[in-house]
Amino acid sequence: MDVRIIEAFRAVVGDDGVIVEREQLRTYECDGLTNFRVMPAAVVLPSSGEQVQAIVRICHRAGIPFVARGSGTGLSGGALPVEGGVVIGLARLNRILEVDIPNARVVVEPGVINAQVTQRVAPYGYFYAPDPSSQSVCTIGGNVAENSGGAHCLKYGFTANHVLGLEVVLPDGTLMQLGSKSLDRPGYDLTGVFVGSEGTLGIATKVILRIVKRPQIVQTLLAAFNSTDDAGAAVSEIIAAGILPAAIEMMDRLSRDAAEAAVKAGYPDADGLLLVELDGPVEEVELLMEQVSAICTSCGAWEIRLAQTEEERAVIWKGRKAAFAAMGRISPNYIVQDGVIPRTALPRVLREIERMSAAAGLRVANVFHAGDGNLHPLVLYDQRVPGQEQAAEKLAFDIIRLCVEAGGSITGEHGVGQEKKKYMSAMFAEPDLETMQLVRCAFDPARLANPTKVFPRPRLCAERSGPYQPHPLEVAGIAELF
Amino acid sequence: MNPQPRVIANELQSIVGAEHVREAEPPYPPGVVMPLLLVEPGSAEELALVLRAARDAQVAVLPRGGGTKLEWGNAPRSAALVLSTRRLDRVIDHAWADMTATVEAGCTVARLQETLAQHGQRLALDPLWPERATIGGILATNDSGTLRVRFGALRDLILGVMVALPDGTLAKSGGRVVKNVAGYDLPKLFTGSLGTLGVIIQATFRLYPLPRETHSLSFSLEDVAAANRLMLAVLDSPLAPTGLQLRVAGESSPQLDVRFEGVAAAAQMRRLLALAGDAEHTEAALEVWALRESLWQGQEPGLVCKFSVLPADLAAVCEEIRRVAGRLRLRWSVIAQAVGVGLLRLEGPNQEALAAALGVLRAEFEARAGSLVLLHTPPDFHGRIDVWGDPGDALPLMRRVKEQFDPAGILNPGRFVGGL
Ligand SMILES: Cc1cc2nc3c(=O)[nH]c(=O)nc-3n(C[C@H](O)[C@H](O)[C@H](O)COP(=O)(O)OP(=O)(O)OC[C@H]3O[C@@H](n4cnc5c(N)ncnc54)[C@H](O)[C@@H]3O)c2cc1C
């Protein structure tokens, strides 16, 4: 990278905010999806919105692509650097700027860790609802970019439902406000578009969040079944009864065994485990929990545990929360897949996955948000065995295709990123993708913000009237600048 | 823009059939005097072809559903062709076991709800005039009602859309499942875009069960500050109301309506009464939840505005409305939801006074990070004041979005924020 550019970055963020040494850059060469790696040309660590803006301006003038990064826990390669580009790390923008309890709003910088928001408002009886399993490490900025979900989004919704407004730096360095603390600000819902855009429309430098009042009580039930089919039938009946649990999670035999090996949660020795959480007013939760329990029994549950205290609930959740990481106990390597199907397709899709897994000679563990049909099949393999990694990748892809064929989606919460670009065409036709990219052309016609992600093929943006002129990629621009 | 839609009449007839092209009957949107041509496509493909023909001939298009909100937005700079979604009115799929439904834009809200009710479900939204308002229309205007405090707005309920763009592209975005993060969220972009980016053809929503029990109470409070306090106390409690509505008008005592649904409705009602202390209350009739519609009628010519503020500011803005209306001798009435979104009716014989009140109040709302948007005016009032207010610093970006989706500028030209 041109030293003048590095110097320009240093002038903005100071020497300790710019990383160019190879060894240090290594930390940033991948996100949570470690099989993709690219060494960035530089990493810049701003500590304010103004600094982000200054950095982006430099990139824009010089035509240098940039990738925003929160904690790097993304699972689709969203924060994977682009060749010759800059990584803009937002960890230092970590202040909670405003807590407004009467209006249930919190304003944060993007580097704030998800769990810190809840910690901050818990004394007032509130919480921040989107709760990805990675919540103790991932950032709100990353959540915004991925539209992250969590176990409780069945009832409470996703990040998009809890972000009311943003301050963003557009890829040309313009800083602007989208949305606001009050609802329905006149104009297009650009906040809604920015959330889930995976860093391709600019960088969020402030986020206005909605927080939620804690429910009066929470109860969690754990039911053991002889098969995931039986457990799946119980899920369908619970929903059909008009009950909307806060969470419904399912684990199959393999995930249960792995979780047990890892954290000794004391789960029943079952082929299908269902975890159902209800929250709300006492009378409602107690009554509905009886119904849930009866439904589970009628669907073949042979053991039911009901957790009523915080401690008992923590025990039940412990195994579920550890499930991904626990795979390390039973397999040297694994791929975490993320697909969605209509809930009713669950039994059929699970049987098909079982068949495909047997045919490929690879084990697949299933842990998922059963209430909203969000599957997380974990394809287990051993990298040391020649050909197995490729076979695992193929199986993971086939599972996604199966989800799409069942009327679902290629990703429920982990995003498209680098990994699933090539699957986009399985779900969307060319005109759909072209139309989405009109948004990109409006935000980032020069394609500098995370340019290689999400879409399988970039759309060439027609040039239109307006102040923006796409930047010529020649060096002359840089020379003029400094 | 070509003011004469007849140049493409033949072409339109060949696309949709001669019987589906005719002169549009009034009412026309404000500012429009020329008779308009009306076209009623019978399929997504026909609709897309109609749009492309209009684009090629530079004919301005006014998409229309039930026609209940034609007066919302600025007067269009040009309108020649009314594109009605009347014939696209099917409920395509009610996947009740998945709690989703896919419906065409021209289906009325009421008919969708009737269909969903057969399986004990609903779209958890109660917009204005459900008998006539269509799905496409409520999406384009982002209308919402009293259920919002619990279930959110359309942006929180919509899962997917199919739209037609002026170049004839038919595109889908989102999906039919409740969870999906693949690609940009065009369902949210189109929600509230007032037909300026494309025409919504169908949409998929997440559904909720119909409640088995419903209880509503109305409290009568001594002043609006007390009503706002009780509202905030309910929000800050573990109670889970599905309706929380403030009604204030002139000198009568403010009312706070509260609704609970579901198996614990009665128990929650009891706890609410404990929370409310000795506030006077009565069992509320179901009609209180549709009273917003009454703001379109009055004794004298009037304005209706949609406003938005932070919930804790509701009392203060009502007091400000009282002051301004008193000074200018206007009658006023507010119906606001606890999320901070509400409707204001201001009425009086003097149009200057109405315009002045609007100016002062808009400044007050905007100073509180809120907004005030004009929805309805006396016949000759339109044009006196900007309908939308301050669009903020994102307007240039919104303009670029508009230019990308509708480069020829044929869709509702000028009707949206900032003249988009
Ligand atoms: C063990 C584990 C469990 C997980 N569980 C869940 C789960 O339950 N649900 C779920 O949804 N996800 C889950 N994830 C995925 C991941 O944690 C989320 O996607 C998270 O939101 C990423 O946050 P981050 O700060 O790590 O972002 P990063 O990985 O650093 O970045 C993610 C994307 O956001 C962009 N970005 C970051 N900050 C900004 C910003 N300020 N402005 C614009 N773009 C920005 C990046 O460019 C990138 O595209 C899990 C991951 C792990 C490792």
Side-chain angles (χ1 to χ4, degrees):
Chain A
M1 174 156 289
D2 193 309
V3 289
R4 284 166 303 179
I5 296 206
I6 303 291
E7 280 315 310
F9 288 155
R10 289 205 171 106
V12 175
V13 298
D15 287 353
D16 75 335
V18 180
I19 299 173
V20 284
E21 291 78 26
R22 258 194 102 67
E23 268 324 295
Q24 286 178 292
L25 287 177
R26 250 183 223 301
T27 319
Y28 297 89
E29 68 181 356
C30 68
D31 63 3
L33 185 72
T34 52
N35 50 336
F36 292 100
R37 285 169 199 269
V38 171
M39 192 69 93
V43 173
V44 189
L45 304 170
S47 44
S48 70
E50 293 72 32
Q51 290 186 1
V52 173
Q53 183 179 25
I55 299 298
V56 170
R57 278 197 178 136
I58 294 169
C59 290
H60 181 253
R61 291 203 193 122
I64 299 169
F66 59 87
V67 178
R69 182 183 175 101
S71 297
T73 67
L75 292 173
S76 56
L80 178 77
V82 296
E83 208 74 52
V86 170
V87 167
I88 302 180
L90 295 152
R92 293 182 180 177
L93 275 79
N94 59 1
R95 291 172 303 167
I96 295 180
L97 300 171
E98 191 185 335
V99 177
D100 176 356
I101 296 297
N103 293 305
R105 307 281 195 269
V106 175
V107 184
V108 301
E109 289 186 323
V112 167
I113 302 299
N114 173 300
Q116 287 171 350
V117 180
T118 290
Q119 275 158 24
R120 181 66 181 271
V121 299
Y124 306 96
Y126 285 78
F127 69 111
Y128 176 60
D131 59 341
S133 313
S134 50
Q135 71 184 138
S136 58
V137 281
C138 65
T139 65
I140 293 295
N143 295 171
V144 165
E146 302 290 359
N147 188 12
S148 299
H152 294 85
C153 55
L154 174 60
K155 176 167 178 179
Y156 291 98
F158 318 100
T159 301
N161 307 106
H162 296 85
V163 173
L164 303 178
L166 297 164
E167 178 187 271
V168 298
V169 174
L170 292 190
D172 67 359
T174 319
L175 187 117
M176 62 174 62
Q177 316 296 322
L178 310 180
S180 63
K181 278 180 78 182
S182 63
L183 305 177
D184 292 356
R185 180 166 192 183
Y188 298 128
D189 183 3
L190 299 183
T191 306
V193 176
F194 194 95
V195 175
S197 63
E198 306 194 29
T200 63
L201 299 181
I203 299 186
T205 48
K206 268 183 207 160
V207 189
I208 304 173
L209 302 171
R210 186 169 74 84
I211 49 171
V212 180
K213 185 72 187 177
R214 279 238 172 267
Q216 193 174 17
I217 63 160
V218 187
Q219 291 190 353
T220 311
L221 171 146
L222 181 74
F225 296 85
N226 277 333
S227 67
T228 49
D229 267 12
D230 289 354
V235 174
S236 296
E237 288 203 23
I238 290 167
I239 301 290
I243 301 171
L244 180 64
I248 311 184
E249 302 283 306
M250 204 195 289
M251 293 170 79
D252 69 359
R253 159 64 64 184
L254 211 48
S255 334
R256 179 255 164 221
D257 288 354
E260 210 45 43
V263 298
K264 303 205 173 33
Y267 283 164
D269 194 8
D271 286 339
L273 279 180
L274 202 60
L275 192 159
V276 184
E277 187 155 288
L278 295 183
D279 68 14
V282 171
E283 298 83 358
E284 182 176 304
V285 170
E286 286 180 344
L287 199 99
L288 295 181
M289 196 48 109
E290 277 173 30
Q291 290 180 24
V292 167
S293 183
I295 289 172
C296 287
T297 307
S298 75
C299 290
W302 46 263
E303 184 176 335
I304 289 179
R305 297 180 193 166
L306 183 62
Q308 315 221 30
T309 66
E310 219 27 68
E311 296 74 46
E312 290 169 350
R313 289 184 44 240
V315 171
I316 289 191
W317 274 104
K318 192 168 159 197
R320 165 62 187 91
K321 292 207 165 157
F324 285 11
M327 290 304 144
R329 299 277 177 146
I330 58 168
S331 173
N333 309 94
Y334 60 94
I335 296 174
V336 181
Q337 190 49 286
D338 167 41
V340 188
I341 53 170
R343 194 165 31 222
T344 43
L346 209 60
R348 182 167 59 83
V349 168
L350 285 183
R351 269 194 299 276
E352 187 59 19
I353 292 178
E354 202 175 306
R355 197 194 55 75
M356 286 157 58
S357 145
L362 292 170
R363 291 180 300 167
V364 177
N366 285 294
V367 192
F368 47 87
H369 310 303
D372 43 28
N374 188 187
L375 309 183
H376 287 311
L378 299 142
V379 180
L380 313 185
Y381 68 97
D382 186 344
Q383 209 172 22
R384 294 161 305 184
V385 180
Q388 236 186 47
E389 181 157 19
Q390 289 76 3
E393 277 170 10
K394 178 169 182 312
L395 178 55
F397 179 44
D398 290 344
I399 290 175
I400 278 303
R401 233 196 335 241
L402 179 66
C403 292
V404 174
E405 281 160 15
S409 168
I410 61 171
T411 170
E413 55 185 17
H414 294 169
V416 177
Q418 174 71 21
E419 185 198 21
K420 288 189 171 168
K421 292 196 294 189
K422 55 184 188 290
Y423 304 176
M424 283 290 269
S425 312
M427 186 168 166
F428 296 108
E430 204 54 33
D432 306 340
L433 296 174
E434 290 277 301
T435 302
M436 287 181 199
Q437 292 198 77
L438 293 174
V439 172
R440 165 124 229 211
C441 290
F443 277 77
D444 184 18
R447 264 191 290 124
L448 294 177
N450 216 0
T452 57
K453 311 293 169 62
V454 183
F455 296 100
R457 278 168 305 283
R459 177 187 178 118
L460 286 179
C461 301
E463 275 152 50
R464 312 226 176 266
S465 56
Y468 179 77
Q469 290 298 318
H471 189 273
L473 296 173
E474 71 265 39
V475 194
I478 305 172
E480 250 173 48
L481 243 181
F482 310 110
Chain B
M1 223 42 51
N2 194 330
Q4 189 39 277
R6 284 184 182 70
V7 295
I8 53 168
N10 286 342
E11 193 178 351
L12 295 179
Q13 288 181 356
S14 72
I15 296 169
V16 301
E19 65 278 30
H20 301 302
V21 181
R22 59 175 185 277
E23 200 156 281
E25 276 141 35
Y28 302 141
V32 175
V33 281
M34 292 269 293
L36 305 174
L37 204 60
L38 172 89
V39 56
E40 298 186 325
S43 69
E45 291 70 23
E46 285 183 15
L47 193 153
L49 288 172
V50 166
L51 272 186
R52 193 167 66 195
R55 195 269 320 248
D56 290 348
Q58 285 289 292
V59 166
V61 174
L62 187 103
R64 189 177 87 184
T68 56
K69 307 182 200 74
L70 275 184
E71 59 174 350
W72 293 21
N74 297 321
R77 275 196 297 273
S78 168
L81 182 64
V82 176
L83 197 170
S84 162
T85 55
R86 193 183 61 86
R87 294 171 64 212
L88 300 172
D89 65 347
R90 290 173 306 157
V91 177
I92 294 172
D93 181 27
H94 177 195
W96 59 270
D98 290 314
M99 299 194 79
T100 61
T102 301
V103 56
E104 286 187 317
C107 181
T108 63
V109 174
R111 209 161 62 74
L112 173 64
Q113 299 287 30
E114 279 158 29
T115 310
L116 303 178
Q118 289 167 13
H119 287 282
Q121 296 179 354
R122 65 175 165 180
L123 176 66
L125 189 91
D126 54 340
L128 293 162
W129 313 299
E131 299 294 332
R132 288 179 296 142
T134 62
I135 294 302
I138 60 165
L139 278 171
T141 52
N142 183 28
D143 196 20
S144 63
T146 68
L147 288 166
R148 185 167 183 174
V149 67
R150 182 106 231 108
F151 301 98
L154 278 163
R155 78 192 295 280
D156 304 299
L157 300 170
I158 190 168
L159 303 173
V161 277
M162 188 210 271
V163 295
L165 304 189
D167 66 358
T169 301
L170 277 175
K172 286 189 176 184
S173 162
R176 287 196 183 189
V177 279
V178 293
K179 204 171 178 186
N180 166 32
V181 296
Y184 295 150
D185 198 335
L186 299 192
K188 287 197 181 62
L189 179 62
F190 273 78
T191 300
S193 65
L194 202 65
T196 58
L197 298 177
V199 176
I200 297 167
I201 291 177
Q202 55 170 259
T204 301
F205 298 97
R206 69 177 294 180
L207 306 176
Y208 284 88
L210 275 171
R212 275 170 269 188
E213 270 176 63
T214 302
H215 288 276
S216 301
L217 280 187
S218 293
F219 291 86
S220 191
L221 286 305
E222 70 268 25
D223 57 26
V224 67
N228 200 182
R229 270 199 307 277
L230 179 55
M231 172 191 275
L232 294 175
V234 172
L235 289 176
D236 190 45
S237 77
L239 296 171
T242 62
L244 189 53
Q245 172 176 271
L246 175 67
R247 287 182 286 130
V248 204
E251 299 312 314
S252 54
S253 38
Q255 305 284 310
L256 187 71
D257 310 313
V258 191
R259 175 178 55 208
F260 294 104
E261 296 178 337
V263 293
Q268 292 201 75
M269 204 51 95
R270 281 193 298 279
R271 237 170 306 121
L272 169 67
L273 289 176
L275 185 76
D278 52 7
E280 207 182 296
H281 63 272
T282 55
E283 188 86 18
L286 267 183
E287 288 75 59
V288 303
W289 302 109
L291 278 177
R292 286 168 297 137
E293 294 180 3
S294 69
L295 296 179
W296 267 259
Q297 279 97 46
Q299 306 170 11
E300 290 180 287
L303 307 175
V304 181
C305 305
K306 170 179 173 171
F307 66 80
S308 177
V309 283
L310 289 169
D313 284 346
L314 277 169
V317 295
C318 285
E319 286 303 342
E320 183 65 16
I321 293 169
R322 183 193 306 281
R323 262 194 302 278
V324 172
R327 186 157 53 75
L328 293 163
R329 299 177 184 287
L330 300 170
R331 242 193 293 267
W332 66 281
S333 173
V334 162
I335 300 184
Q337 308 307 312
V339 293
V341 173
L343 294 172
L344 160 68
R345 180 178 177 89
L346 276 174
E347 65 177 49
N350 181 346
Q351 293 209 356
E352 301 298 330
L354 287 172
L358 201 59
V360 176
L361 290 175
R362 177 172 281 159
E364 170 74 17
F365 279 86
E366 289 179 352
R368 292 174 182 273
S371 58
L372 185 71
V373 176
L374 203 49
L375 300 181
H376 168 82
T377 68
D380 38 348
F381 188 89
H382 236 275
R384 269 175 187 272
I385 191 159
D386 173 44
V387 162
W388 296 99
D390 178 18
D393 61 2
L395 183 62
L397 178 59
M398 290 183 197
R399 179 164 295 126
R400 292 205 293 275
V401 171
K402 165 76 176 175
E403 285 167 359
Q404 288 292 334
F405 280 80
D406 179 22
I410 60 161
L411 285 168
N412 271 334
R415 209 171 151 195
F416 202 46
V417 172
L420 295 181

